[in-house]
C-alpha cells in the first residue's frame, strides 16, 4: 500500500489556491489508490520553528543537552520519518517574493540531514532517498516559466535543487501562473494546472 506525504505551505488558509489544488489532487490520488496512507503536514498553517543557535547542532547529529534541543531533535526525527515513509510527496508551494515560503524552507532545513537524507562522499554529496516521486504544485501571481520575468524565478530551481540533493529526481512541477492578472487569466491557468495534475496521475497509475 502506498504512502503519500502532503506538504502545504501557504499562509492563506482556506483562501489558498495552492491548498485548493492540493486538496483536489489528494482526492484524485485517493480515488486512484484506495487505501493509500495520507500523511498531512501543513507548515503554512502550523509553522515549524526556525533553527537557532541552540537547535541547529542537533539537526546535524549532536546529542540533545537541554529541553529545547530534545524537542527539536524529536520534531526533526518525526519530519524525516514522514518523508522516508512516503512513496509520493505532494507539495503545495506558493511563490512569495519570487521564492518559496519561509515555512517550506524551514521544513527543508529540518529534513536535509547528513547521514540521514543525504551523505557526503568522495565524489560529493549523494541523496539517500531515491525511488520516491514528488509532485509540486506551484502557484504564482505573474508569469515566471517564460518571458522576461523568468530570471526572477527563485522558486522552482530552489525546489528542484533541494529535492535532487536528497535523491528525489522524479519531480513533476505543475504551475498555476498569472493568478493575479485578471479573472480570465486565472481561470485559464487553473484549468491548465488541473489538466497537468491529471496527466501526472495518469503517468503514476
Amino acid at each position: 500500500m502506498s504512502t503519500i506525504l502532503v506538504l502545504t505551505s501557504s499562509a492563506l488558509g482556506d483562501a489558498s489556491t495552492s491548498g485548493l489544488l492540493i486538496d483536489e489532487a489528494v482526492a484524485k490520488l485517493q480515488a486512484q489508490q484506495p487505501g493509500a496512507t495520507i500523511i498531512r503536514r501543513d507548515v503554512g498553517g502550523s509553522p515549524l520553528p526556525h533553527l537557532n543557535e541552540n537547535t541547529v547542532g542537533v539537526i546535524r547529529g549532536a546529542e540533545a543537552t537541554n529541553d529545547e534541543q530534545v524537542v527539536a531533535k524529536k520534531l526533526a526525527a518525526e519530519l524525516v520519518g514522514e518523508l522516508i515513509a512516503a512513496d509520493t510527496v505532494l507539495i503545495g508551494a506558493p511563490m512569495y517574493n519570487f521564492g518559496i515560503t519561509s515555512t517550506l524552507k524551514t521544513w527543508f532545513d529540518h529534513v536535509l540531514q547528513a547521514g540521514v537524507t543525504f551523505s557526503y562522499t568522495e565524489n560529493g554529496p549523494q541523496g539517500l532517498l531515491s525511488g520516491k516521486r514528488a509532485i509540486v504544485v506551484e502557484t504564482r501571481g505573474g508569469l515566471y516559466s517564460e518571458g522576461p520575468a523568468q530570471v526572477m524565478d527563485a522558486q522552482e530551481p530552489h525546489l528542484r535543487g533541494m529535492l535532487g540533493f536528497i535523491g528525489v529526481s522524479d519531480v513533476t512541477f505543475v504551475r498555476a501562473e498569472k493568478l493575479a492578472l485578471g479573472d480570465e487569466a486565472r481561470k485559464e491557468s487553473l484549468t491548465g494546472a488541473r489538466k497537468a495534475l491529471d496527466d501526472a496521475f495518469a503517468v503514476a497509475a
Side-chain angles (χ1 to χ4, degrees):
M1 203 65 66
S2 66
T3 298
I4 302 163
L5 173 60
V6 181
L7 186 62
T8 48
S9 59
S10 173
L12 298 179
D14 292 340
S16 166
T17 301
S18 63
L20 169 67
L21 291 171
I22 288 293
D23 285 345
E24 292 176 0
V26 171
K28 290 176 181 178
L29 281 172
Q30 287 179 312
Q32 184 186 80
Q33 304 177 36
T37 299
I38 306 294
I39 303 171
R40 287 185 176 268
R41 177 68 66 168
D42 180 14
V43 298
S46 299
L48 303 169
H50 287 286
L51 302 182
N52 59 42
E53 183 180 8
N54 189 38
T55 60
V56 68
V58 296
I59 302 299
R60 296 174 176 171
E63 291 299 318
T65 59
N66 59 52
D67 290 345
E68 185 181 14
Q69 290 175 355
V70 168
V71 171
K73 198 174 187 73
K74 180 179 179 181
L75 174 60
E78 182 179 345
L79 296 171
V80 169
E82 292 172 353
L83 177 58
I84 290 174
D87 305 295
T88 300
V89 184
L90 185 59
I91 302 175
M95 176 185 278
Y96 286 7
N97 297 316
F98 312 111
I100 64 174
T101 65
S102 64
T103 52
L104 183 55
K105 173 62 166 58
T106 300
W107 180 84
F108 277 104
D109 288 342
H110 281 78
V111 301
L112 267 67
Q113 296 186 29
V116 181
T117 57
F118 72 93
S119 63
Y120 290 112
T121 72
E122 293 180 355
N123 298 318
Q126 178 178 337
L128 300 178
L129 301 185
S130 60
K132 299 182 185 298
R133 185 181 189 213
I135 300 173
V136 183
V137 176
E138 299 176 319
T139 51
R140 303 158 166 200
L143 177 62
Y144 297 92
S145 60
E146 59 182 82
Q150 189 174 20
V151 296
M152 301 294 289
D153 180 8
Q155 175 195 37
E156 187 168 318
H158 194 186
L159 286 166
R160 190 183 298 278
M162 288 189 293
L163 289 167
F165 192 76
I166 58 177
V168 182
S169 58
D170 183 2
V171 185
T172 300
F173 286 95
V174 174
R175 307 181 193 96
E177 302 189 282
K178 300 188 287 185
L179 297 176
L181 302 185
D183 291 341
E184 281 301 313
R186 177 182 175 83
K187 181 179 178 180
E188 180 181 354
S189 181
L190 290 176
T191 298
R194 287 173 172 128
K195 182 181 184 306
L197 281 169
D198 286 341
D199 292 344
F201 298 149
V203 171

